[in-house]
Amino acid sequence: MRSVSLAFGGTAVPLAVTWLVWGTTYLAIAFGLRGAEPFTLSAVRFLTAGALLWGLAERRHEPRLTALRWRRATLVGVLLFSVGMGGVALAEEYVDSGTTALFIATVPLWSVLLNTAGGRPARSGEWAGVWLGLAGVAVLSAGLGRGGLTGAAILLPAAMCWVLGSRLDDRSAGVRGPAAQMLAGGTVLAVAAAVRGEFASPPQLAWGAVLALAYLVVFGSLLAMAAYRHLTAHTGPALATSYAFVTPVIAVLAGALFLDEPLTLHVLAGTALIVVAVVTTLLTRSRPAGPTTTAPGHPEAVRVRRRPASPTSGPHASS
């Protein structure tokens, strides 16, 4: 991952990659669901990405994981990938891809609540972001039908589990750590797919679904994460986490352009409220200098430890 990060060079390219790729992963999931069931699609995605990262760790001769780190990786992988991203794919059976992105964009707000529960008082700007975000969720939910409310009920716990999994992530295990997380999460998703009966009928190998899966693995789970690592190593937290309020807008527009998802008044109002909420939260959080900051927003990012800029600094990649 280091060589990939160095290849980005400046800031503009990795910034564009994180915005565009993470903004269109929800669209890719929607296309992928045309050929495979949600848990099957997610299992293949993370098992493949995890195997590729594991191969990279082997090539770099990284040390093997201890039993303790395997247990931690399994727990984090279930929270991040089985519940978090598996929930995203499942929810897209009920709600539009743009609406899904908006619900997941509330991750920074749940992070504020988790910080508060852990004894770190939230600032007034962070609380303002939380209330604005909850108002955006309420507006979105009001425009959803019965099936849409089912999707919302899946997405909110998925976002919360992503925050919790990011907090528990062991960021010191090199590439092998996130590889183990994805392999564990993908295995649980495969079991869930079997229990749900998704293997009863084989997936439809339509070109659109196959390309969508390849996009999710190569671009969504590998390239964008490398770009994000570069940003956290060479820029400030406000710029590095700017994807959190850009990607939901891109997701809504992509869904409208390529899937004819309606831009209703509820969607537009909810988008505005959630984007303003995330901007308020991130800008408030980035002001004081502290030992750590949470990299929120898209469910491919993890918690970041702030270090002096160096080619290898940045977050522990989760995907």
Side-chain angles (χ1 to χ4, degrees), residues 137-195:
V137 169
V139 170
L140 274 178
S141 300
L144 300 176
R146 185 174 180 179
L149 292 177
T150 300
I154 295 170
L155 287 169
L156 291 179
M160 295 176 190
C161 284
W162 191 269
V163 173
L164 181 59
S166 297
R167 289 301 180 87
L168 297 175
D169 182 30
D170 178 7
R171 300 174 297 280
S172 61
V175 174
R176 204 179 292 277
Q181 292 170 8
M182 284 189 286
L183 290 172
T187 300
V188 171
L189 283 165
V191 173
V195 171

Side-chain angles (χ1 to χ4, degrees), residues 98-138:
T99 303
T100 299
L102 289 171
F103 275 102
I104 294 300
T106 61
V107 160
L109 314 180
W110 306 123
S111 180
V112 171
L113 296 179
L114 184 61
N115 282 339
T116 303
R120 176 190 176 275
R123 302 192 165 178
S124 57
E126 291 178 306
W127 279 119
V130 169
W131 289 114
L132 280 172
L134 292 177
V137 169

Side-chain angles (χ1 to χ4, degrees), residues 231-298:
L231 288 174
T232 56
H234 298 91
T235 67
L239 184 61
T241 58
S242 61
Y243 65 84
F245 49 84
V246 176
T247 53
V249 177
I250 293 176
V252 169
L253 294 177
L257 287 174
F258 296 101
L259 296 174
D260 294 324
E261 295 176 355
L263 292 176
T264 64
L265 181 60
H266 287 94
V267 169
L268 294 175
T271 301
L273 285 170
I274 290 175
V275 169
V276 171
V278 173
V279 171
T280 302
T281 301
L282 293 185
L283 291 183
T284 302
R285 179 181 296 166
S286 66
R287 283 174 195 156
T292 61
T293 181
T294 301
H298 190 277

Side-chain angles (χ1 to χ4, degrees), residues 298-318:
H298 190 277
E300 303 290 343
V302 297
R303 198 179 181 212
V304 177
R305 184 183 301 275
R306 297 300 299 162
R307 309 171 191 166
S310 69
T312 57
S313 63
H316 182 68
S318 72

Side-chain angles (χ1 to χ4, degrees), residues 18-35:
T18 56
W19 286 4
L20 294 175
V21 173
W22 278 342
T24 52
T25 51
Y26 301 93
L27 178 68
I29 290 173
F31 277 108
L33 290 175
R34 295 180 177 182

